[in-house]
Amino acid sequence: MITFEQMRIFLAVAEREHLTEAAKALLLTPSAVSSAIHMIEEHYQVRLFNRIGRRIQLSDAGSVFVEDCRHTLAQVKVAETTLREFSGLKRGALGLYASQTIANYFLPPVIAKFRNLYPAITVKMSIGNTEQVENAVLSGLTDIGFAEGTIKNESLHRQKVADDELFIVAAKNHLLTEKTFVTFKEISAFPWILREKGSGTRAIFEQALANHGYELADLEVMETFPSNEAVLSAVAASNALTAISKRAVSALLAAGLVERLNFLSVRRDFLLLLNPQRFKTKAVGAFIDLLDG
C-alpha cells in the first residue's frame, strides 16, 4: 500500500515539477525521491509524470492523484495536531474570524492577554461581516467566530461573551441634535449611511425597526460602507444619520464630532461561535476560558 511518506514525496515533486528541487526541499537524495515515485507507479501500473527531456509534467492520472494527496495529507496534519495538543500548549495555532466591531473594539486586549499567557500559540484573526463569520465557522475555515448579528444556522454553538448597544448618531450641530426626543418621521426626512448587507450592525438595526413597526425601506439609504470608520467619517461630514455600535462611536462622541439622537436605543450581544463538528483544540479551550474569566 502507498505510504504517507510516498504521498509527501510525490506531492513535493508535483508542486515543483523537478526531482532534484523536491529532494532538496525534503532533505532526501534525488535517488530516494525517484525510487519512491517509481515504486508507486510500478505497484499501481500507472504513470504519474510524463518525462519531457530534462523536464517532468504531471500525467492525467497524476493531476487527479495530486488533489487526493493534498486532501489526505491535510487530514493527517489535523490528526497530528490533535495528538500534539495532549503535550500541552507549547506550540500550535488559533484561528479567529470576527465581525468588524468585535475585531476592532473587543478582541484586541483579549488577544494580547492570550499571547502573554501562551506566547508559542500563533493567533491569526480575519475580519468580515456577520454573514462571512458564520460561513467561515460552518466551513471549518476558522476555529472560533465572533459575531453580533442574527445567526441563521442552528447547528452552530453560540455563547454570549459581551454586551453592546447601537446608537443613532448625526454630525455635530445637526438639526435633530437639539431635540429631546426624535420621531421616526423626523429621522426619515434625512438620508442614512449604513453598513453593508450581511453586517450584524445593519441586521440588528433593521430588526429593531421592525420590532417597533417601522421598515428600513422607509429610510433613504444613500450610501453603504464595509467599515464602521468609513460610515462615521461620512456621517460627521454630512447631514446623514446612522446606526452604529456604542464601542465604535464612543471616541467621536467624546471628541464632539458626532452627537447621539434619542431614538431607538438597541442592545445586542456579542456571540462566540463554534462548529460542534470541529475538533476543539486546547488552544481554543484556553481562549474560551480566558473570555469566561
Side-chain angles (χ1 to χ4, degrees):
M1 293 179 63
I2 190 170
T3 66
F4 293 135
E5 179 65 9
Q6 287 174 324
M7 285 188 181
R8 189 168 71 96
I9 292 172
F10 163 73
L11 194 56
V13 176
E15 289 174 343
R16 293 165 178 79
E17 293 190 338
H18 200 286
L19 282 170
T20 303
E21 292 300 320
K24 288 180 180 178
L26 295 170
L27 302 179
L28 296 173
T29 64
S31 60
V33 171
S34 179
S35 176
I37 300 298
H38 181 71
M39 287 177 66
I40 300 173
E41 291 179 327
E42 283 294 309
H43 183 80
Y44 293 100
Q45 291 297 295
V46 64
R47 183 176 292 278
L48 298 175
F49 294 97
N50 294 316
R51 279 75 174 177
I52 306 172
R54 291 187 174 184
R55 296 175 57 248
I56 59 173
Q57 288 182 332
L58 282 168
S59 66
D60 291 342
S63 296
V64 174
F65 185 52
V66 74
E67 294 305 321
D68 291 334
C69 280
R70 286 195 178 108
H71 176 74
T72 300
L73 292 175
Q75 292 300 111
V76 171
K77 187 176 180 180
V78 170
E80 290 175 340
T81 299
T82 301
L83 293 176
R84 275 199 300 268
E85 288 293 332
F86 286 98
S87 66
L89 292 166
K90 297 179 180 178
R91 59 180 296 185
L94 178 65
L96 309 177
Y97 207 125
S99 61
Q100 285 209 22
T101 303
I102 298 176
N104 291 326
Y105 302 101
F106 173 72
L107 281 179
V110 181
I111 293 173
K113 187 173 183 180
F114 182 83
R115 281 175 169 157
N116 285 335
L117 291 171
Y118 309 104
I121 304 297
T122 301
V123 180
K124 179 183 178 182
M125 182 167 70
S126 301
I127 302 175
N129 59 38
T130 291
E131 186 176 289
Q132 292 167 332
V133 171
E134 181 177 354
N135 290 336
V137 177
L138 275 172
S139 64
L141 186 63
T142 192
D143 295 307
I144 309 176
F146 293 91
E148 73 274 356
T150 301
I151 308 304
K152 299 175 183 177
N153 194 292
E154 294 296 328
S155 68
L156 293 181
H157 167 78
R158 61 203 72 189
Q159 173 183 330
K160 177 182 174 180
V161 293
D163 294 309
D164 190 34
E165 188 175 359
L166 293 188
F167 285 174
I168 310 302
V169 300
K172 182 181 179 181
N173 298 325
H174 191 283
L175 290 175
L176 294 182
T177 58
E178 298 178 356
K179 293 182 172 290
T180 305
F181 298 101
V182 181
T183 66
F184 184 79
K185 182 178 180 181
E186 287 172 324
I187 66 165
S188 63
F190 292 90
W192 284 70
I193 297 174
L194 296 175
R195 287 286 307 278
E196 79 288 0
K197 289 183 178 179
S199 153
T201 296
R202 180 178 176 133
I204 293 292
F205 176 57
E206 188 169 1
Q207 184 59 56
L209 288 175
N211 292 342
H212 287 79
Y214 309 128
E215 292 186 15
L216 184 61
D218 294 329
L219 299 179
E220 178 198 347
V221 180
M222 72 173 189
E223 191 63 83
T224 61
F225 290 108
S227 76
N228 296 324
E229 291 73 20
V231 169
L232 288 170
S233 294
V235 167
S238 68
N239 70 335
L241 310 178
T242 194
I244 201 79
S245 167
K246 173 184 177 180
R247 296 171 186 260
V249 77
S250 59
L252 271 69
L253 287 172
L257 298 176
V258 296
E259 296 185 49
R260 181 186 178 187
L261 303 184
N262 190 4
F263 177 81
L264 201 67
S265 173
V266 184
R267 296 193 176 277
R268 64 177 178 177
D269 297 332
F270 285 169
L271 299 175
L272 175 151
L273 304 178
L274 293 174
N275 187 335
Q277 295 182 343
R278 185 180 176 87
F279 174 74
K280 184 178 176 181
T281 67
K282 284 193 174 183
V284 169
F287 196 85
I288 294 174
D289 289 343
L290 185 60
L291 287 168
D292 291 339

